């Protein structure tokens, strides 16, 4: 066993230890030692994906990913791996990409050694039983059925379809009943035999990268990993490569008109380019994506917005590997923008011409990508983001690093392409030159094209047509496009220069109520865990007039969208610099800010000023109204299980309205209606504020005073305090014990063959003892429910048993989506499962019961990973009105007396 000496670049704030090791079988692994972790995790990335599928067996790599979960020679009980993980407070999953398949899990610390042993069997001696083959082919098919009406899946496959047929990019990747059962059988092939052959030929240790995240000592975990993974066969299999681009000349200079499922229009402009992975230290696609995707004044998006043609724009590299890559610009169009497609493409190429004329700007590269010597104290965006990154759950961390290990040299396994540091105008210029009219593919989506296309993509049934667009045609669009003042972005004033940490006088464990008045309440929680120069601010404006009717709810929605629309050019710079904000609506509206604390106050004051001086711009109102209308119209295309969950909320929660009512009133609303409504909306309000992180208490109090001064205490105040009768309460319908309620509803999308059931069991109001019993039941029942209803009975790919909380009212829900059974039949299967499971619950041994209790204790001991996670937990207590910030401590106390609740659990 060898150990590499190369130093791995890690963040300045990262206290973990990393050790790279190569086992004798050539398996490369990274051990991450974190003494403070609450959970252990592992990820195995196998350098084999759907590109390696044999012809005529599309989806075989994905099918193999499913089958490895069943059982192994060492652990021959079906589904025992997933059951073990769940019973020890963990989770597990996998995904298949084009050239990689990633398997991963996390688990409580005391269960890690056995979990890792079970996991290792995937790659040593798995059993893929014949009787499971048909079940899991059906599961793959059910997964594909779920995707058939998803525009994301459909449009991605269409871009793959319009490429060279002999290139693996052209392939259908997920597989279905036809590719894994019907066609192989017709050819005399046994799918399971082909599966075993595929595994044997491709799953070689030298193509695997393993990341293990643990609290154990290096010596112990190194011996453990070597013992468990040294038996993986190494056949010295070569990595998959297919030199050459997937797009030949016939696939370039094309305009593809295509019909999406959802309402709305979209342009996807795509160029084949040199993969950035070969020049990730120079960051050419990152540099160009930053400029073309910018939203500040003078940007392409700003100009399109001024004309009322676009509601969103993004740019950057996609679908990349070592052999090929695409640079993609995606533009969400308004109805007016759809009519000006040629002008929009012309403006895009005008902006690219601007970049050509301006040359590659060193100051922009330095500002975004590397530490800038010109501004001395300024740290670049990417550098600051990496060195002050939030700690994430171990399971997410290991998946990302295991993938990086397949692509990057060892020193950059943690950084990936996130830290470009070499300014090379020639490298950036090479990619910029590839963004030319003679190299472009334009995909134009709109339901307006329905009935005007002549081709159909075979896997998803997407209607489309193709026409050639020559260089000269596009140059004509450029010449006829509006002559607007496109220019490069200004220097970013939001890049933080003060990253110091505030002194916390007292180690406060929970939020404290710093102040309360007739105007506001301020909750405050200084950072005592994360030592990161970031803050979280939530301001919830309770506005009773927001929920008076469907009209007022829609107008409140449009108001929040317009606020963000007005702020966008200015606040986009803050978001680039790592200071994010969002304005949302419910029974009023909420402002949320998260990021570096240094300049957060500047952004907050700007948002408050926009609220105070809000005026309705008729042209922007029309655009936002159109966008909101399409948003409501597209809710009918939600997955059936999502529709069922919406109906469940309507039944349970007081003062909720179906979205169809919102859609009905929208056409009647005009700009003057909003102009009249906003003063009414703001006339009576109370705001609840939560401030956390690297902010001192006097700063938090100053923020609240500023908001009060602007909104409540100006000479002509916008806001008045609420009357006592206007303070809102959350109410949930109480379901009577022993009574079953059945609410059937027809699916809104007649083309969707899936049906769904949400089987909800209400448990009761917030009560520690009741909560603990519910948590224990959910833990014990989760995996058996999934195994029985999904794996054995094959009701549907989407099968879950989860806890539910409605304003502090606890419950349990089965969520199942199916193409083989209707909701009534699914409901009977759920009831049958509960009856059988009740017997198993009564037969549970004391040791099994104690094991589950211990798993939950470990889960409760788990610390928050970052400021966002901690703040979300505490804000939920404030928002629900339960205010049990010490909830985990009390539940822990109950777990320690768990044997007393065993009879009640049964």
């Amino acid at each position: 066993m060898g150990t590499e000496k190369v130093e791995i670049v890690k963040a300045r704030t990262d206290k973990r230890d990393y050790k790279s090791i190569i086992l004798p079988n050539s398996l490369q692994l990274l051990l991450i030692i974190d003494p403070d972790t609450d959970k252990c995790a592992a990820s195995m990335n196998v350098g084999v994906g759907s590109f390696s599928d044999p012809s005529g067996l599309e989806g075989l790599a994905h099918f193999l990913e499913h089958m490895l979960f069943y059982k192994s020679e060492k652990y021959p009980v079906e589904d025992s791996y997933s059951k073990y993980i769940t019973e020890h407070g963990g989770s597990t999953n996998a995904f298949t990409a084009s050239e990689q398949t990633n398997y991963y899990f996390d688990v409580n610390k005391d269960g890690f050694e056995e979990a890792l042993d079970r996991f290792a069997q995937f790659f040593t001696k798995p059993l893929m039983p014949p009787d499971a083959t048909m079940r899991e082919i059906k599961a793959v098919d059910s997964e594909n059925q779920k995707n058939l009406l998803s525009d994301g899946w459909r449009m991605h496959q269409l871009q793959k379809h319009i490429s060279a047929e002999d290139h693996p990019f052209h392939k259908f990747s997920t597989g279905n009943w036809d590719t894994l059962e019907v066609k192989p059988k017709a050819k005399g092939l046994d799918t399971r035999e082909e599966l075993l052959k595929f595994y044997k030929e491709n799953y070689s240790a030298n193509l695997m990268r393993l990341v293990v995240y643990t609290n154990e000592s290096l010596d112990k975990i190194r011996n453990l990993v070597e013992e468990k993974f040294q038996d993986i066969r190494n056949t010295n299999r070569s990595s998959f490569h297919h030199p050459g681009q997937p797009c030949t000349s016939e696939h370039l200079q094309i305009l593809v008109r295509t019909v999406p499922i959802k309402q709305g229009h979209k342009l996807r402009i795509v160029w084949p380019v040199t993969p950035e992975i070969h020049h990730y230290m120079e960051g050419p696609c990152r540099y160009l994506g930053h400029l073309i995707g910018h939203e500040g004044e003078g940007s392409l998006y700003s100009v399109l917005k001024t004309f009322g043609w676009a509601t969103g724009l993004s740019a950057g590299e996609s679908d990349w590997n070592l052999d090929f890559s695409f640079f993609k610009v995606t533009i969400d169009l308004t109805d007016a923008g759809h009519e000006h497609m040629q002008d929009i493409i012309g403006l895009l190429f005008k902006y690219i011409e601007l970049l050509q004329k301006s040359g590659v700007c060193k100051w922009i590269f330095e500002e975004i990508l590397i530490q800038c010597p010109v501004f001395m104290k300024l740290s670049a965006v990417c550098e600051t983001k990496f060195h002050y990154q939030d700690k994430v759950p171990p399971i997410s961390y290991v998946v990302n690093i295991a993938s990086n290990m397949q692509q990057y040299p060892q020193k950059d396994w943690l950084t990936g392409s996130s830290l470009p540091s070499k300014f090379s105008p020639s490298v950036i210029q090479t990619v910029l030159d590839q963004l030319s009219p003679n190299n472009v593919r334009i995909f134009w989506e709109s339901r307006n094209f329905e009935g005007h296309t002549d081709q159909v993509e075979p896997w998803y049934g997407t209607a489309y047509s193709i026409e050639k667009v020559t260089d000269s045609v596009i140059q004509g669009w450029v010449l006829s496009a509006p002559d607007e003042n496109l220019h490069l972005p200004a220097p970013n004033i939001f890049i933080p220069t003060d990253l110091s940490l505030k002194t916390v006088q007292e180690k406060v464990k929970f939020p404290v109520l710093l102040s309360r008045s007739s105007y506001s309440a301020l909750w405050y929680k200084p950072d005592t865990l994360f030592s990161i120069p970031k803050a979280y601010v939530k301001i919830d404006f309770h506005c009773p007039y927001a929920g008076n009717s469907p009209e007022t709810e829609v107008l409140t929605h449009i108001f929040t969208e317009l606020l963000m629309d007005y702020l966008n050019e200015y606040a986009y710079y803050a978001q680039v610099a790592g200071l994010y904000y969002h304005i949302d609506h419910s029974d009023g509206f909420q402002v949320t800010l998260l990021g570096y604390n240094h300049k957060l106050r500047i952004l907050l004051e700007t948002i408050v000023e926009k609220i105070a001086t809000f005026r309705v711009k008729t042209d922007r109102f029309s655009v936002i109204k159109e966008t909101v209308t399409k948003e409501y119209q597209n809710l009918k295309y939600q997955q059936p299980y999502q529709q069922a969950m919406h109906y469940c909320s309507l039944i349970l929660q007081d003062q909720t309205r179906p979205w169809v009512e919102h859609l009905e009133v929208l056409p009647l609303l005009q700009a003057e209606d909003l102009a009249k409504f906003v003063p009414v909306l703001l006339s009576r309000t109370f705001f609840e504020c939560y401030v956390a992180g690297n902010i001192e208490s006097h700063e938090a109090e100053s923020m609240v005073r500023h908001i009060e001064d602007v909104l409540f205490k100006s000479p002509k105040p916008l806001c008045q305090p609420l009357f006592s009768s206007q303070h809102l309460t959350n109410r949930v319908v109480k379901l009577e014990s022993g009574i079953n309620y059945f609410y059937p509803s027809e699916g809104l999308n007649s083309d969707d063959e899936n049906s769904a059931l949400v089987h909800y069991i209400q448990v009761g109001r917030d009560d520690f003892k009741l909560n603990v019993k519910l948590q224990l039941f959910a833990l014990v029942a989760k995996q058996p429910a999934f195994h029985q209803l999904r794996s054995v009975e094959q009701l549907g790919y989407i099968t879950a048993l989860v806890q539910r909380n409605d304003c502090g009212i606890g419950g349990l829900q089965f969520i199942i989506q199916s193409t083989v059974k209707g909701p009534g039949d699914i409901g009977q299967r759920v009831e049958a499962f509960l009856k059988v499971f009740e017997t198993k619950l009564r037969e549970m041994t004391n040791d099994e019961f104690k094991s589950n209790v211990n798993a939950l204790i470990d889960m409760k001991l788990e610390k928050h990973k970052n400021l966002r996670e901690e703040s979300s937990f505490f804000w939920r207590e404030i928002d629900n009105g339960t205010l049990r910030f010490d909830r985990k401590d009390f539940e822990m106390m109950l777990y320690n007396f768990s044997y007393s609740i065993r009879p009640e659990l049964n």
Side-chain angles (χ1 to χ4, degrees):
M1 180 169 66
T3 301
E4 296 286 335
K5 298 297 183 184
V6 178
E7 185 175 351
I8 298 172
V9 177
K10 68 176 187 176
R12 287 193 286 267
T13 54
D14 190 350
K15 303 297 191 291
R16 293 166 290 205
D17 290 323
Y18 299 84
K19 184 64 69 176
S20 167
I21 296 169
I22 300 175
L23 298 185
N25 59 358
S26 295
L27 172 65
Q28 196 159 27
L29 66 100
L30 180 66
L31 303 178
I32 305 176
I33 313 302
D34 181 0
D36 297 326
T37 191
D38 302 303
K39 276 212 166 120
C40 297
S43 170
M44 178 72 89
N45 190 291
V46 185
V48 179
S50 60
F51 277 6
S52 299
D53 286 343
S55 179
L57 275 164
E58 292 84 358
L60 191 66
H62 180 212
F63 177 47
L64 172 60
E65 172 222 304
H66 279 237
M67 289 294 289
L68 289 186
F69 280 79
Y70 267 87
K71 53 185 174 181
S72 63
E73 287 186 15
K74 186 172 182 180
Y75 300 100
V77 178
E78 186 175 297
D79 205 47
S80 62
Y81 162 77
S82 297
K83 184 172 184 288
Y84 182 87
I85 296 288
T86 303
E87 287 178 348
H88 289 80
S91 59
T92 182
N93 213 330
F95 63 84
T96 305
S98 57
E99 294 183 321
Q100 301 177 12
T101 304
N102 196 300
Y103 303 84
Y104 54 94
F105 75 91
D106 69 356
V107 73
N108 293 337
K109 292 181 291 187
D110 63 350
F112 185 57
E113 183 173 343
E114 184 173 332
L116 196 65
D117 190 53
R118 291 171 176 272
F119 183 67
Q121 307 311 308
F122 283 33
F123 315 103
T124 51
K125 293 184 178 179
L127 292 177
M128 294 175 263
D131 63 324
T133 302
M134 194 60 67
R135 279 188 275 154
E136 215 51 40
I137 290 176
K138 288 179 180 177
V140 170
D141 186 67
S142 178
E143 185 176 354
N144 179 65
Q145 289 280 345
K146 152 185 92 64
N147 300 334
L148 289 180
L149 297 178
S150 162
D151 281 328
W153 282 95
R154 291 165 70 88
M155 297 309 161
H156 185 240
Q157 186 62 44
L158 180 61
Q159 291 176 55
K160 287 155 61 76
H161 179 66
I162 304 174
S163 65
E165 291 187 17
D166 62 350
H167 196 284
F169 181 71
H170 182 83
K171 289 181 176 181
F172 169 58
S173 59
T174 58
N176 60 19
W177 180 256
D178 198 40
T179 66
L180 294 173
E181 171 61 18
V182 178
K183 287 182 179 177
K185 187 173 283 186
K187 293 178 183 177
L189 295 175
D190 183 315
T191 300
R192 181 171 177 272
E193 290 301 317
E194 295 298 318
L195 179 77
L196 297 174
K197 178 182 172 185
F198 184 86
Y199 179 81
K200 184 177 180 181
E201 290 181 353
N202 291 283
Y203 272 48
S204 174
N206 71 301
L207 296 182
M208 297 181 185
R209 305 291 183 266
L210 175 66
V211 181
V212 174
Y213 193 112
T214 178
N215 65 320
E216 298 286 2
S217 69
L218 176 62
D219 288 341
K220 179 176 179 180
I221 195 63
R222 180 163 53 190
N223 293 334
L224 198 67
V225 170
E226 181 177 21
E227 174 199 334
K228 297 183 186 309
F229 290 90
Q230 64 184 353
D231 292 335
I232 299 176
R233 288 181 310 110
N234 177 23
T235 59
N236 286 311
R237 181 79 172 175
S238 298
S239 297
F240 178 90
H241 284 294
H242 192 286
Q245 291 286 339
C247 298
T248 63
S249 58
E250 69 177 289
H251 309 116
L252 300 174
Q253 292 187 287
I254 57 171
L255 171 62
V256 182
R257 290 177 172 83
T258 179
V259 183
I261 296 296
K262 291 185 175 181
Q263 296 289 344
H265 324 282
K266 197 182 292 282
L267 277 171
R268 302 179 200 264
I269 304 97
V270 186
W271 296 267
V273 296
T274 303
E276 186 173 81
I277 186 68
H278 298 301
H279 304 285
Y280 68 92
M281 296 305 289
E282 293 85 359
C285 289
R286 185 179 285 261
Y287 174 90
L288 294 170
H290 166 70
L291 292 174
I292 297 172
H294 208 281
E295 298 182 16
E297 184 186 352
S299 67
L300 172 63
Y301 178 65
S302 177
V303 168
L304 295 178
K305 214 177 99 171
T306 300
F307 283 113
W309 292 347
T311 58
L313 187 150
S314 62
E317 190 181 30
S318 69
D319 291 322
W320 64 270
N321 66 10
L322 290 171
D323 300 306
F324 67 88
S325 177
F326 295 98
F327 189 91
K328 184 182 295 185
V329 177
T330 303
I331 306 173
D332 297 312
L333 306 177
T334 61
D335 291 344
H338 177 67
E339 300 301 321
H340 286 270
M341 180 277 291
Q342 295 178 5
D343 289 326
I344 292 169
I345 299 293
L347 282 166
L348 169 59
F349 279 101
K350 270 192 175 183
Y351 194 84
I352 292 170
E353 284 181 4
L354 167 69
L355 298 182
Q356 291 280 12
K357 291 173 185 174
S358 304
V360 179
C361 297
K362 188 175 184 180
W363 75 265
I364 293 177
F365 181 85
E366 289 175 335
E367 180 185 84
I368 300 302
L369 303 176
I370 63 173
Q371 187 167 1
C372 180
V374 177
F375 300 114
M376 298 304 289
K377 290 185 179 179
L378 283 185
S379 291
V381 169
C382 290
E383 187 197 35
T384 307
K385 182 178 180 180
F386 176 74
H387 285 295
Y388 295 95
Q389 61 186 287
D390 291 335
K391 201 170 184 181
V392 297
I395 192 169
S396 303
Y397 198 55
V398 295
V399 168
N400 181 55
I401 295 173
S403 179
N404 282 352
M405 288 171 70
Q406 295 281 9
Q407 307 286 356
Y408 297 95
Q410 182 175 320
K411 73 180 182 67
D412 293 322
W413 283 351
L414 307 186
T415 64
S417 61
S418 66
L419 279 182
S421 58
K422 295 178 183 176
F423 179 61
S424 176
S426 61
V427 170
I428 296 173
Q429 189 65 48
T430 298
V431 177
L432 179 58
D433 290 342
Q434 292 171 337
L435 307 185
S436 66
N438 59 19
N439 193 41
V440 75
R441 291 152 54 90
I442 302 169
F443 293 83
W444 186 11
E445 303 167 26
S446 175
R447 289 177 64 95
N448 292 2
F449 298 139
E450 202 160 4
H452 302 283
T453 57
D454 58 2
Q455 298 188 60
V456 177
E457 189 279 318
W459 298 109
Y460 290 84
T462 307
Y464 72 99
S465 61
I466 302 180
E467 69 176 81
K468 277 286 185 179
V469 283
T470 62
D471 192 340
S472 60
V473 167
I474 291 179
Q475 289 300 339
W477 295 353
V478 172
L479 291 172
S480 63
D483 190 15
E484 286 301 308
N485 183 27
L486 293 165
H487 59 80
L488 298 178
N492 193 337
I493 64 167
F494 278 102
I495 294 177
T497 57
D498 180 1
L499 298 169
S500 61
L501 298 180
K502 311 284 185 180
T503 302
V504 180
Q505 301 296 334
E506 189 179 345
K507 294 287 183 182
V508 180
K509 188 176 180 181
F510 303 121
V512 294
L513 184 62
L514 275 189
S515 66
R516 186 176 184 92
S517 69
S518 59
Y519 310 114
S520 67
L522 169 60
W523 296 91
Y524 171 69
K525 167 68 174 66
D527 176 22
T528 56
L529 290 176
F530 311 113
S531 300
I532 294 287
K534 294 180 182 179
Y536 178 99
V537 176
K538 171 84 80 172
I539 309 160
D540 189 2
F541 291 88
H542 299 271
C543 305
Y545 297 128
N548 279 358
S549 66
E551 287 86 353
T552 60
E553 289 182 352
V554 170
L555 287 170
T556 303
H557 186 174
I558 295 175
F559 166 67
T560 60
E561 294 291 337
L562 273 173
L563 268 178
M564 288 194 293
D565 186 72
Y566 296 165
L567 285 159
N568 191 65
E569 281 190 2
Y570 176 79
Y572 182 77
Y573 283 95
Q575 297 191 157
V576 168
L579 177 55
Y580 305 96
Y581 85 104
H582 187 69
I583 304 174
D584 206 356
H585 65 97
S586 61
D587 51 4
F589 62 100
Q590 299 86 38
V591 177
T592 307
L593 298 96
L594 174 64
Y596 301 110
N597 58 277
H598 180 209
K599 298 181 179 180
L600 183 146
R601 177 70 181 262
I602 300 170
L603 180 58
L604 175 61
E605 290 186 2
T606 304
I607 294 170
V608 173
E609 179 65 22
K610 284 291 182 187
I611 295 170
T613 59
F614 182 83
R615 298 291 181 271
V616 179
K617 299 175 184 176
T618 305
D619 59 334
R620 298 311 300 163
F621 174 87
S622 299
V623 169
I624 297 300
K625 176 184 172 182
E626 179 188 317
T627 304
V628 170
T629 300
K630 288 173 183 171
E631 187 180 316
Y632 284 123
Q633 288 172 335
N634 286 330
L635 289 174
K636 71 176 284 188
Y637 302 109
Q638 282 185 321
Q639 294 276 348
Y641 82 89
Q642 294 171 315
Q643 295 179 36
M645 291 176 70
H646 171 65
Y647 293 136
C648 189
S649 295
L650 289 178
I651 294 164
L652 289 174
Q653 296 176 11
D654 192 28
Q655 297 298 310
T656 53
R657 294 183 175 88
W659 61 265
V660 290
E661 293 183 6
H662 298 143
L663 190 57
E664 189 175 325
V665 302
L666 255 167
L668 306 174
L669 298 176
Q670 302 300 324
E672 50 268 30
D673 296 316
L674 184 62
K676 292 175 184 175
F677 171 68
V678 170
V680 176
L681 172 74
L682 297 174
S683 65
R684 293 284 172 182
T685 188
F686 176 87
F687 69 91
E688 199 148 24
C689 190
Y690 176 78
V691 179
N694 194 40
I695 287 184
E696 293 175 334
S697 59
H698 68 87
E699 294 178 286
E701 291 172 313
S702 176
M703 284 182 192
V704 169
R705 280 197 305 270
H706 176 77
I707 300 170
E708 290 183 352
D709 288 344
V710 172
L711 299 181
F712 291 88
K713 298 178 181 179
S714 62
K716 292 183 179 179
L718 272 171
C719 307
Q720 296 289 333
L722 296 184
F723 293 113
S724 58
S725 61
Q726 289 181 303
H727 283 274
L728 302 171
T729 55
N730 297 317
R731 297 194 302 176
V732 175
V733 173
K734 182 180 181 180
L735 302 183
E736 294 300 322
S737 178
I739 300 177
N740 292 329
Y741 303 87
F742 184 69
Y743 295 93
S745 180
E746 188 174 347
L748 297 170
N749 182 6
S750 58
D751 293 329
D752 196 328
E753 297 179 4
N754 291 283
S755 60
L757 173 79
V758 170
H759 183 102
Y760 171 75
I761 302 168
Q762 192 174 80
V763 174
R765 297 178 68 173
D766 189 41
D767 173 84
F768 285 125
K769 196 171 182 181
L770 203 59
N771 295 345
V772 165
K773 288 189 284 184
L774 176 59
Q775 291 161 14
L776 277 169
F777 182 86
L779 176 70
V780 174
K782 179 180 177 181
Q783 190 56 35
F786 180 85
H787 178 65
Q788 179 62 33
L789 300 174
R790 196 270 208 186
S791 301
V792 177
E793 298 188 26
Q794 288 292 307
L795 294 180
Y797 177 76
I798 296 174
T799 300
L801 170 62
V802 295
Q803 292 180 69
R804 178 177 176 129
N805 187 309
D806 296 270
C807 310
I809 307 300
L812 198 72
Q813 57 186 359
F814 291 82
I815 302 168
I816 301 174
Q817 183 167 297
S818 178
T819 53
V820 295
K821 297 281 186 181
D825 290 333
I826 298 172
Q828 290 177 4
R829 300 315 308 150
V830 170
E831 292 287 356
F833 166 78
L834 286 169
K835 286 180 181 176
V836 172
F837 186 72
E838 182 180 5
T839 302
K840 290 183 179 178
L841 203 58
R842 294 184 185 281
E843 294 172 352
M844 184 190 295
T845 66
N846 282 339
D847 285 345
E848 288 174 314
F849 182 74
K850 187 175 181 181
S851 175
N852 282 291
V853 170
N854 288 337
L856 273 172
I857 288 174
D858 287 341
M859 291 164 73
K860 291 296 171 185
L861 286 170
E862 192 174 341
K863 296 183 289 288
H864 297 297
K865 301 293 181 295
N866 52 57
L867 182 61
R868 181 199 294 267
E869 196 177 294
E870 179 192 72
S871 298
S872 296
F873 175 83
F874 288 136
W875 176 253
R876 192 160 50 247
E877 294 291 333
I878 295 168
D879 193 41
N880 286 339
T882 45
L883 303 182
R884 295 313 301 253
F885 304 126
D886 54 356
R887 179 177 300 278
K888 288 187 176 182
D889 294 341
F890 268 84
E891 288 177 349
M892 283 282 296
M893 189 170 62
L894 274 175
Y895 287 136
N896 288 326
F897 293 101
S898 58
Y899 284 107
S900 66
I901 65 170
R902 165 119 203 234
E904 297 176 62
L905 179 66
N906 283 339

